[in-house]
Amino acid sequence: MKAVVKHGLEDKEVELRDVPEPEIGPGDVLLEMKAAGVCGSDVEFWRNRITYPINVPVVQGHEFCGVVAAAGDDVAHFAVGDRVVSETGAHVCGVCEFCRAGEYNICPDRLGFGYGVDGAFTNYVRVPERCLHRIPDGVPFEHACLTEPIAVAYNAVCVMSDFDPGDDVVVLGPGPIGLFAAQVAKAAGARVVITGLPQDAVRLAAAEDIGFDAVVDVSNHDLEDLVAERTGGVGARLVVDAAGAQAAFAQAMEIVRRNGQITKIAWNMDPLGLSLDPIVAKAVRVQGSYSHTWRTWENVLRLLAGGALNMDAMISHVAPITDWEAIYTAAEERHAVKAVLRPV
Ligand SMILES: [Zn+2]
Ligand SMILES: [Zn+2]
């Protein structure tokens, strides 16, 4: 079967290869991939700009769904033909303090699909049963495969952050995670502002399409003034950093309310290089957010089934996996909002 394989640790060491179908163990299913989302991290792996270890060669792709094509003898809750979407933690230890507490997303031994074990930009994936969720009727594969990035946003906004309906939430960065974070905050009743830069024009247009309280290009609007105006000078209860740049964090510290929260989802390899004194002076909580767990996935699938999220505005490209390089390039140049790959 054809697969998009990262085969080395230098820039652009990714290629389409023929690989054998995976063999499954007794607790696994063989998932026939029907749709797979392209993540910003897939592009970063391609360009080898990542701060955590990668097992190469590895089939890329961790946002995926499909149909159960075969099930191991110990698989109890899923059968051949079931429509399923998979979580991303292909391996967790199951016995560490975090796993035992249900916090398996931060298991130190966690290995994800697409970098730690073979992922989904191919025809078949070996998936442990514990990773599976049923796709509700009426949710198409192209939407269901994006459960993972929505779960990243949901975890950051709803699980790791504190705000109430009617509160002001500002999302910095209109990439797919930022757009989903803004959509989840909106669904939770917040008043939502999302920001970007001129090079984010395609994504800011998607934000306009989805509809938020304000969509702001910070190169020609003063965000501090806008937030002050909207909040009576108080500041935003929650700022979600989905941008990662130093300037974004500086902005977050400026616009956050006293006793408010900054939740950081975006990565950045560079040192921050600025004073964190405003965090102290304003008694602000800074919260990191990584990955997601089972209940978040179920809630996101319910949001998808209920039509609470605008998915059409999010999916800018649907292409066969053989077009991976053009799609990665479009994502890197921010011409794509979210791209979905189909098997060949
Ligand atoms: Zn992802
Ligand atoms: Zn563990």
Side-chain angles (χ1 to χ4, degrees):
M1 59 184 190
K2 295 265 182 260
V4 179
V5 176
K6 178 171 171 65
H7 57 86
L9 297 176
E10 299 294 327
D11 187 18
K12 296 194 175 178
E13 285 191 327
V14 171
E15 66 186 18
L16 201 67
R17 284 188 175 179
D18 279 306
V19 301
E21 274 182 29
E23 287 175 15
I24 60 169
D28 303 322
V29 304
L30 189 66
L31 187 151
E32 183 186 355
M33 191 276 269
K34 294 291 189 184
V38 174
C39 179
S41 66
D42 293 312
V43 176
E44 296 303 299
F45 294 159
W46 172 49
R47 301 305 311 270
N48 214 62
R49 289 185 298 234
I50 13 96
T51 48
Y52 47 95
I54 295 194
N55 289 330
V56 288
V58 68
V59 178
Q60 287 201 269
H62 60 269
E63 304 173 357
F64 64 103
C65 65
V67 170
V68 175
D73 289 343
D74 295 347
V75 171
H77 303 289
F78 294 89
V80 170
D82 285 352
R83 300 167 78 241
V84 291
V85 58
S86 174
E87 292 191 27
T88 48
H91 172 79
V92 295
C93 78
V95 294
C96 72
E97 165 160 338
F98 304 104
C99 283
R100 287 178 194 272
E103 302 163 325
Y104 58 87
N105 56 320
I106 47 174
C107 171
D109 289 342
R110 180 185 186 278
L111 286 177
F113 288 107
Y115 73 88
V117 305
D118 283 337
F121 294 162
T122 186
N123 294 94
Y124 292 97
V125 195
R126 169 189 172 162
V127 180
E129 182 183 18
R130 68 171 165 76
C131 290
L132 296 176
H133 295 261
R134 240 168 264 287
I135 301 173
D137 291 344
V139 177
F141 289 123
E142 284 76 13
H143 296 184
C145 75
L146 302 181
T147 307
E148 195 270 339
I150 305 168
V152 168
Y154 187 107
N155 189 68
V157 169
C158 296
V159 181
M160 306 305 284
S161 300
D162 181 32
F163 67 93
D164 297 315
D167 275 338
D168 286 277
V169 173
V170 179
V171 178
L172 305 176
I177 298 292
L179 287 167
F180 279 133
Q183 289 212 51
V184 169
K186 181 182 171 184
R191 307 200 310 166
V192 180
V193 173
I194 185 164
T195 73
L197 296 166
Q199 56 265 40
D200 297 314
V202 171
R203 290 157 174 196
L204 290 173
E208 294 280 7
D209 198 11
I210 294 161
F212 296 105
D213 291 279
V215 176
V216 182
D217 175 346
V218 292
S219 71
N220 54 28
H221 286 87
D222 189 318
L223 183 64
E224 229 183 315
D225 285 354
L226 181 127
V227 171
E229 206 174 288
R230 295 184 59 81
T231 61
V234 169
R237 173 75 176 267
L238 172 67
V239 182
V240 177
D241 176 8
Q246 182 204 55
F249 198 82
Q251 201 147 51
M253 291 195 293
E254 276 171 8
I255 62 174
V256 70
R257 175 191 187 277
R258 286 166 188 268
N259 211 16
Q261 180 170 343
I262 299 170
T263 298
K264 190 164 166 50
I265 334 177
W267 304 77
N268 186 349
M269 290 169 77
D270 301 328
L272 196 55
L274 49 80
S275 169
L276 296 180
D277 281 359
I279 300 293
V280 182
K282 294 168 91 171
V284 168
R285 274 158 296 149
V286 178
Q287 174 70 53
S289 179
Y290 179 70
S291 194
H292 27 64
T293 53
W294 194 88
R295 197 176 74 89
T296 291
W297 278 70
E298 288 294 311
N299 284 350
V300 168
L301 286 163
R302 288 185 200 137
L303 289 178
L304 285 173
L309 305 172
N310 182 333
M311 299 302 288
D312 291 336
M314 294 298 302
I315 300 171
S316 59
H317 296 67
V318 179
I321 59 165
T322 41
D323 287 357
W324 69 271
E325 193 162 9
I327 293 293
Y328 283 18
T329 303
E332 184 174 41
E333 292 172 353
R334 306 188 195 191
H335 296 152
V337 183
K338 193 73 191 174
V340 171
L341 296 181
R342 286 206 177 114
V344 290

